[in-house]
Amino acid sequence: MLVSLRAARLLLCSCFLLCSFIARAQPTDTRQLMPVPAQLTWGAGRFALKGKLGIRFETDTDPAVRAAANRFATRLNKKTGFAQPKPALTIRYGRVGGVKLGEDESYSLRVTPVGIALTSATSLGALRGLATLEQLLTQEKKSYYFPEVDITDQPRFAWRGLLIDAARHFMPVAVMKRNLDAMAAVKLNVLHWHLSDDQGFRVESKLLPKLQQVAASGQYYTQAQVHDVVRYAAARGIRVVPEFDLPGHTTALISAYPVLASNDSVYAPAQRWGVLNIAIDPTKESTYQLLDTLLTEMMSLFPDAYFHIGGDENNGQQWRRNPRIAEYMRANNMMKENGKFDTHALQTAFMRRMLPIVTKGGKIMVGWDEILAPDLPAEIVIQSWRGRKALYEAVKAGHPALLSNGYYIDLNYSAGSHYLNDPLLADNGLTPEQQQRVLGGETAMWAEFADSTILDSRIWPRAAAIAERFWSLSTVRDVPDMYRRLAIASRQLDGLGLQHRRVPEQLLLRLAGKQYVAPLGVLAGVIEPVKEYKRHRQGFTYTTQTPLNRLVDAALPEAEAARQFGVDISALLQSMATATNSKLPKDAQTLTTFNALRTTLSTWQKNDALLQPLLTTEPSLREYAPLSVQLATLAGLGLERLRLLEKGEKPTPAWQAAAVRQLEAAKAPAGQAELAIVESMRKLATL
């Protein structure tokens, strides 16, 4: 899925009509937990760790639980000394829970000053409880403890997914595994593994070997590696749902097997991005024979009940232009009232032919919302990425459905915008039965601008906020508190081996060297990659071979320094709104905020002089010089506005007009990045 429709309208804010099991009071003290449990009560005590954590398994039939508990204990025990006098953590579960949709993930966790008890109906629930327990660990100087707490927890949605695109940029097994560890830590439970696209087919086929010989460009998963990743995921309570995109996004597939093509062109795996509108021929029986062979083999590699076959972004252009396919549509009444060819009807017919192949493999078909049609079999799951309209239409037509609209983290939007998005609107007009068909949602990380090196920094920690939206009560919507806990979650994920913090730092050091890394870091901290898919359209040609090692790749999707600046500006504006005149209030909180803003702006104003020697001499950084200049200029503007505030003076209309012009100029991107402070600075300047 690519540029044409994956745009800003993917972000819609909503609230969820509560499921019956969560009609409880919202927790008010969230502390460091993410996702927030359904019910929790904090006590005044703590369980202090005086050494290694001992564990007693009252149920010991699932090796996944023992392995997860031992991993947790190993990480913990690196920080402590001698052994506990007796086991401190007791784990009890009723039965071994399968990694399948709808399995019971509930658990209860009780921490007292004398020990910890984790109880669940299934071993899957025990895994979720262990993830919560690890988040509860608190450090106080050189000692560690678990706060006293009583938790009863269960998820809102059964399907809580993360899509990782390994087709456009190949993601090695080690990258997949560390992201699975992160998913388990925040209770995401579905890896949607996008394995084929125009740029590559990424799984070994023993029956159709040209797929790895021609369509993979040397980068693919062996079947043994697929089994390894699936086992690794299952041991963490995560299902793996593969996607092999059909009938569009199939350039790589056609390059290996030209018999599938809708025209006489010869293709190689695509090396450019964009919606290429290349599709397989759905009118030939040989197409279905080959796909039967391929999909049957691929389905055997993935034990999950669900199998995704794509169906997105095929405009039917090649079908209309092929006289033979056009005649097929005409002969089969696939025509619109205006006399034009109905290529959507042909795609629906294709999907109907795919269904028995998928069903024969024991799977339930999943497809993107373009496949939705009045006569589509109701058992097919619809994944809505273009808007809630398709989600609601799907469940009204009897389909199970998923929401990805509003959760596309490759668009570089803020964690807060995704967090306030919700799978169901309160006034959705759906019956209770229709609401039950909304299985949950998935966040999507498409990889045009994320290779295996920077992937983690594009997913995390923002995906943790979305994980909370899928797991926690819909009433858990405090954005400032979410950001506070997200920072804690980010550090915890770093401790699991995620590279989301380290790699950007290493890339900055590589770009700047030790002498200039600090001022370059200041600039990187206030810029973000341009939003949506504007990187495709800003004068720099990207291909699959383009290294992602520029400043725009080191900059995070959400610049924390810029976000905090916006928080401080909002606090100052709120304080000024209560003032009786134009003078700055003198209360301690306002003065602290004011001084923090002045310090920040002063740092930004001085930074350009420190950085320009590097920007003017280093070719790879020269394109970012305008952003550095604009940062210094805006900082000077902000300092002047603070000076006027401190004196109780109002800016002249001419000053404000000049400030607005400067702010408009500062919106211009450079090097596919943009200053993230412009709108906050506008609020200050126009105050």
Side-chain angles (χ1 to χ4, degrees):
M1 307 178 65
L2 207 60
V3 180
S4 58
L5 292 172
R6 291 190 334 218
R9 70 173 183 265
L10 291 167
L11 292 166
L12 297 172
C13 296
S14 60
C15 58
F16 176 65
L17 186 61
L18 291 177
C19 296
S20 59
F21 74 86
I22 58 172
R24 307 179 177 121
Q26 177 186 345
T28 56
D29 185 355
T30 52
R31 302 197 186 181
Q32 67 264 47
L33 292 176
M34 180 175 276
V36 175
Q39 278 189 321
L40 74 162
T41 304
W42 299 100
R46 62 177 62 179
F47 176 77
L49 281 168
K50 299 177 181 178
K52 293 184 179 180
L53 180 68
I55 304 174
R56 181 173 70 248
F57 296 91
E58 290 196 358
T59 311
D60 192 18
T61 56
D62 190 344
V65 174
R66 176 173 284 274
N70 288 337
R71 287 193 301 272
F72 165 57
T74 298
R75 286 191 292 269
L76 177 62
N77 293 340
K78 287 181 180 179
K79 305 174 182 178
T80 60
F82 54 89
Q84 295 282 141
K86 61 181 180 179
L89 169 61
T90 300
I91 299 176
R92 180 190 306 111
Y93 52 90
R95 60 179 173 82
V96 175
V99 184
K100 58 186 179 182
L101 180 67
E103 183 59 275
D104 189 346
E105 298 178 81
S106 64
Y107 67 91
S108 62
L109 179 65
R110 181 160 176 74
V111 179
T112 71
V114 296
I116 306 167
L118 170 59
T119 306
S120 58
T122 69
S123 57
L124 191 60
L127 293 177
R128 305 299 179 237
L130 282 168
T132 298
L133 180 61
E134 185 152 11
Q135 290 184 3
L136 284 169
L137 179 65
T138 304
Q139 182 176 5
E140 188 175 79
K141 296 182 180 179
K142 294 184 178 181
S143 63
Y144 295 86
Y145 69 91
F146 294 98
E148 184 175 7
V149 68
D150 195 351
I151 291 174
T152 302
D153 200 11
Q154 55 191 334
R156 289 172 59 202
F157 294 106
W159 191 307
R160 307 179 305 279
L162 167 63
L163 180 152
I164 294 182
D165 175 6
R168 293 187 175 89
H169 277 107
F170 181 71
M171 306 298 169
V173 169
V175 175
M176 300 304 302
K177 285 184 174 180
R178 69 177 182 242
N179 277 276
L180 285 165
D181 287 336
M183 291 175 64
V186 297
K187 303 183 180 70
L188 290 172
N189 68 345
V190 181
L191 170 64
H192 178 159
W193 204 358
H194 186 76
L195 290 165
S196 73
D197 215 289
D198 293 307
Q199 292 75 22
F201 190 98
R202 302 300 183 189
V203 179
E204 173 192 21
S205 172
K206 297 184 183 299
L207 301 179
L208 299 168
K210 287 184 180 179
L211 287 172
Q212 56 266 25
Q213 295 167 4
V214 177
S217 302
Q219 293 184 308
Y220 62 93
Y221 303 102
T222 66
Q223 294 194 4
Q225 288 175 319
V226 170
H227 287 305
D228 182 30
V229 171
V230 170
R231 284 193 299 267
Y232 194 90
R236 287 149 181 79
I238 297 172
R239 301 163 41 218
V240 179
V241 176
E243 180 187 352
F244 297 95
D245 210 348
L246 300 168
H249 289 284
T250 47
T251 307
L253 180 60
I254 293 170
S255 73
Y257 291 93
V259 68
L260 294 170
S262 292
N263 57 23
D264 296 329
S265 299
V266 176
Y267 297 101
Q271 293 195 4
R272 64 184 179 91
W273 310 126
V275 180
L276 306 184
N277 294 320
I278 295 172
I280 61 177
D281 186 343
T283 66
K284 296 188 296 189
E285 285 303 311
S286 58
T287 295
Y288 298 101
Q289 293 167 4
L290 190 149
L291 292 179
D292 192 343
T293 299
L294 173 61
L295 297 185
T296 298
E297 182 183 19
M298 294 298 105
M299 285 187 288
S300 71
L301 303 177
F302 298 92
D304 195 75
Y306 292 82
F307 193 82
H308 205 303
I309 62 167
D312 62 299
E313 292 187 324
N314 172 36
N315 69 358
Q317 174 178 292
Q318 287 194 327
W319 296 347
R320 290 191 299 270
R321 292 179 177 179
N322 183 312
R324 181 181 51 78
I325 297 176
E327 180 55 36
Y328 179 93
M329 286 190 282
R330 189 176 291 107
N332 286 274
N333 297 318
M334 297 177 180
M335 306 294 294
K336 298 180 180 179
E337 292 182 358
N338 61 7
K340 295 183 178 181
F341 294 112
D342 190 350
T343 55
H344 187 262
L346 181 54
Q347 172 150 312
T348 300
F350 171 81
M351 289 297 169
R352 293 181 71 89
R353 290 291 302 270
M354 289 293 99
L355 183 59
I357 296 175
V358 174
T359 303
K360 182 181 64 174
K363 307 295 186 183
I364 301 169
M365 184 189 294
V366 186
W368 297 105
D369 59 53
E370 285 96 327
I371 74 171
L372 187 60
D375 56 347
L376 193 70
E379 61 267 32
I380 296 176
V381 178
I382 303 299
Q383 185 166 1
S384 177
W385 69 276
R386 295 182 300 172
R388 281 192 183 76
K389 181 181 179 182
L391 180 83
Y392 294 163
E393 288 177 350
V395 297
K396 287 178 179 178
H399 294 278
L402 301 164
L403 183 68
S404 281
N405 174 264
Y407 300 124
Y408 271 41
I409 50 178
D410 63 315
L411 292 176
N412 299 317
Y413 285 113
S414 68
S417 64
H418 297 304
Y419 186 69
L420 292 176
N421 191 54
D422 204 289
L424 283 172
L425 293 171
D427 57 349
N428 53 63
L430 302 178
T431 67
E433 181 184 5
Q434 291 164 350
Q435 292 175 42
Q436 289 298 314
R437 296 193 191 112
V438 178
L439 303 178
E442 285 188 356
T443 182
M445 183 62 236
W446 300 101
E448 295 95 322
F449 300 110
D451 60 12
S452 60
T453 301
I454 66 170
L455 178 75
D456 296 6
S457 68
R458 270 47 197 157
I459 298 176
W460 307 103
R462 290 179 300 149
I466 300 172
E468 179 160 288
R469 178 54 51 232
F470 294 157
W471 178 281
S472 301
L473 306 181
S474 65
T475 51
V476 178
R477 298 177 63 84
D478 185 335
V479 173
D481 187 63
M482 179 276 290
Y483 275 111
R484 178 188 64 79
R485 292 179 293 109
L486 191 64
I488 300 170
S490 182
R491 294 192 294 271
Q492 292 170 339
L493 293 170
D494 184 70
L496 293 176
L498 265 287
Q499 304 292 309
H500 65 296
R501 285 150 55 110
R502 284 171 250 179
V503 164
E505 293 170 357
Q506 292 166 358
L507 185 51
L508 285 175
L509 183 60
R510 195 177 307 133
L511 288 167
K514 291 183 179 179
Q515 180 181 358
Y516 291 104
V517 69
L520 187 63
V522 170
L523 179 61
V526 296
I527 66 172
E528 296 172 353
V530 291
K531 304 297 182 278
E532 303 162 22
Y533 299 104
K534 295 176 183 176
R535 284 181 75 167
H536 291 289
R537 304 184 294 274
Q538 292 191 344
F540 189 98
T541 301
Y542 287 92
T543 73
T544 57
Q545 306 305 310
T546 302
L548 298 177
N549 58 4
R550 296 155 64 223
L551 184 58
V552 66
D553 303 305
L556 298 178
E558 184 171 13
E560 177 57 25
R563 189 193 69 80
Q564 186 57 54
F565 178 72
V567 170
D568 289 344
I569 290 293
S570 295
L572 181 64
L573 294 181
Q574 184 176 6
S575 179
M576 291 300 299
T578 62
T580 56
N581 51 44
S582 59
K583 289 186 177 181
L584 183 73
K586 298 299 183 180
D587 62 281
Q589 185 174 353
T590 301
L591 291 177
T592 297
T593 300
F594 182 87
N595 290 330
L597 285 169
R598 184 159 54 189
T599 299
T600 297
L601 290 167
S602 179
T603 299
W604 290 348
Q605 185 184 45
K606 297 173 183 176
N607 196 68
D608 183 57
L610 300 174
L611 192 55
Q612 278 300 331
L614 175 67
L615 297 178
T616 55
T617 58
E618 178 54 51
S620 65
L621 291 170
R622 197 170 297 151
E623 60 185 326
Y624 298 100
L627 295 179
S628 181
V629 172
Q630 288 286 10
L631 175 62
T633 302
L634 293 189
L637 184 154
L639 286 169
E640 174 61 15
R641 186 67 187 94
L642 290 184
R643 187 189 67 81
L644 293 172
L645 274 176
E646 193 171 30
K647 289 189 172 185
E649 298 177 6
K650 292 185 178 182
T652 65
W655 186 93
Q656 285 197 323
V660 169
R661 288 194 297 272
Q662 185 60 54
L663 287 162
E664 286 301 308
K667 290 167 62 176
Q672 291 79 57
E674 58 191 7
L675 280 176
I677 64 166
V678 173
E679 292 310 312
S680 296
M681 194 69 76
R682 187 188 304 276
K683 293 177 183 178
L684 176 60
T686 57
L687 174 63

